[in-house]
Amino acid sequence: MSYFNDHLDQIVRELENGYQSSELFFNRAGLERPNRAAIIDILDDFRLLLFPGYFGSQNPTRASAPYFAGHMLTQIHEKLYPQIRLALAYHEGGLTESVNARAEEAATQLLLEIPHIQKLLLIDVEAALNGDPAAGSKEQIIFSYPGLRAIFIYRIAHELYIRNIPYIPRIMSEHAHSRTGIDINSGATIGEYFFIDHGTGVVIGETTNIGNNVKIYQGVTLGALSTRAGLKLAGKKRHPTIEDDVTIYSNASILGGNTVIGRGSTIGGNAFITSSIAPFSRVSVKNPELTVDDFGEKAYEASGNA
């Protein structure tokens, strides 16, 4: 401890200098940032609302469902509105009546979309059940599938993204990424009956368009060709379009804003695609040549492995 104590004052002084840097704190006087823990708590509430009885300790019945829904919606609004208000005020440099009104409108509009989001998620559950022989049941998918969890969070975050709410959609999507290994940017547009099988390592970029009845496997990247221009590329179509009824197998990479995978196509594993594919195509990577040597039983025994 004495060696540490001898240097403690020096470390503190150097950190103090760093704390004065605007590059570290990005301070905006009198403004509070949205709270990440509070936003994750709101996502947990949304999951309770959308899948009643599956998570948490409450077990609403069909008779009590209206009271449960009313309670949860009110609770979510009371938590969500202040966080949206903080995000808008921090982003725009001040709390105004306009910020208050926009925060209230955005929170309410998201809640108005909840019945539609629930229907979409039930269709996604059906896609998982029909797309995975190991699924077993819809209950198992809801309880345990990381793909469904990532899609659920995406569908909530997307509603805030399209209403130009800063910070919160990204906090939500990165929380999903950390919990599931699936990175879906909240700006992506994703249709009905969407299934991510296994899911680890999936990346779906901000300007990706995905149609209906699309199935993707682990390690798939729907990304941009180059991001060297940084913020200059913001708002431009950088990621591919995946039309209806497409299956993309593991570790395929499909890149570029002008790249369109046509309807009904199947993309094989490990494919690397930077140009459009016609509808109803089958894309595969030629198997690498395998060399199998006849090691022989005597050589095997001589090696000491027997």
Side-chain angles (χ1 to χ4, degrees), residues 81 85 94-104:
Y81 163 70
R85 183 170 172 263
L95 183 60
T96 65
E97 286 302 315
S98 174
V99 163
N100 288 333
R102 286 169 58 199
E104 171 63 26

Side-chain angles (χ1 to χ4, degrees), residues 120-121 123-128 147-148 151 154-155 182 184 190-196 202 204 210-216 222:
L120 286 176
L121 290 171
I123 295 171
D124 296 331
V125 170
E126 189 73 25
L148 182 68
I151 294 166
Y154 154 78
R155 295 205 185 278
I182 298 167
I184 308 177
I190 300 176
E192 299 179 356
Y193 206 76
F194 181 52
F195 177 40
I196 301 174
V202 165
I204 300 175
I210 297 176
N212 299 324
N213 189 28
V214 170
K215 179 179 181 180
I216 64 178
L222 306 178

Side-chain angles (χ1 to χ4, degrees), residues 96-176:
T96 65
E97 286 302 315
S98 174
V99 163
N100 288 333
R102 286 169 58 199
E104 171 63 26
E105 182 179 14
T108 302
Q109 286 178 342
L110 170 54
L111 294 175
L112 283 168
E113 290 296 323
I114 288 301
H116 176 63
I117 291 173
Q118 187 178 56
K119 290 177 182 177
L120 286 176
L121 290 171
L122 291 175
I123 295 171
D124 296 331
V125 170
E126 189 73 25
L129 185 67
N130 293 332
D132 182 6
S137 67
K138 292 181 179 179
E139 290 84 355
Q140 182 160 279
I141 293 164
I142 293 171
F143 272 131
S144 60
Y145 271 40
L148 182 68
R149 185 170 189 176
I151 294 166
F152 142 66
I153 293 175
Y154 154 78
R155 295 205 185 278
I156 297 293
H158 181 69
E159 294 299 323
L160 296 173
Y161 176 93
I162 62 177
R163 290 172 175 82
N164 298 313
I165 303 303
Y167 307 119
I168 295 176
R170 192 58 181 251
I171 291 171
M172 290 179 170
S173 63
E174 292 301 339
H175 172 66

Side-chain angles (χ1 to χ4, degrees), residues 25-34 85-96 99:
F25 276 98
F26 298 97
N27 280 325
R28 298 184 182 179
L31 296 174
E32 181 182 352
R33 301 176 183 88
R85 183 170 172 263
L86 286 174
L88 285 171
Y90 191 81
H91 185 258
E92 298 183 10
L95 183 60
T96 65
V99 163

Side-chain angles (χ1 to χ4, degrees), residues 2-135:
S2 60
Y3 183 75
F4 166 71
N5 290 334
D6 289 343
H7 292 83
L8 178 59
D9 288 344
Q10 174 192 341
I11 299 169
V12 169
R13 284 194 303 271
E14 291 179 4
L15 281 174
E16 184 180 10
N17 291 335
Y19 288 164
Q20 306 307 314
S21 168
S22 61
E23 284 79 8
L24 177 62
F25 276 98
F26 298 97
N27 280 325
R28 298 184 182 179
L31 296 174
E32 181 182 352
R33 301 176 183 88
N35 184 291
R36 184 177 184 274
I39 292 163
I40 293 170
D41 182 57
I42 291 166
L43 285 174
D44 290 340
D45 284 347
F46 270 122
R47 192 161 69 153
L48 293 175
L49 174 65
L50 289 164
F51 300 109
Y54 281 88
F55 306 99
S57 58
Q58 300 185 62
N59 290 294
T61 64
R62 284 185 171 83
S64 66
Y67 305 99
F68 172 77
H71 166 72
M72 291 303 303
L73 287 166
T74 301
Q75 179 172 290
I76 290 170
H77 181 269
E78 289 175 350
K79 296 177 180 179
L80 181 62
Y81 163 70
Q83 293 303 316
I84 296 176
R85 183 170 172 263
L86 286 174
L88 285 171
Y90 191 81
H91 185 258
E92 298 183 10
L95 183 60
T96 65
E97 286 302 315
S98 174
V99 163
N100 288 333
R102 286 169 58 199
E104 171 63 26
E105 182 179 14
T108 302
Q109 286 178 342
L110 170 54
L111 294 175
L112 283 168
E113 290 296 323
I114 288 301
H116 176 63
I117 291 173
Q118 187 178 56
K119 290 177 182 177
L120 286 176
L121 290 171
L122 291 175
I123 295 171
D124 296 331
V125 170
E126 189 73 25
L129 185 67
N130 293 332
D132 182 6

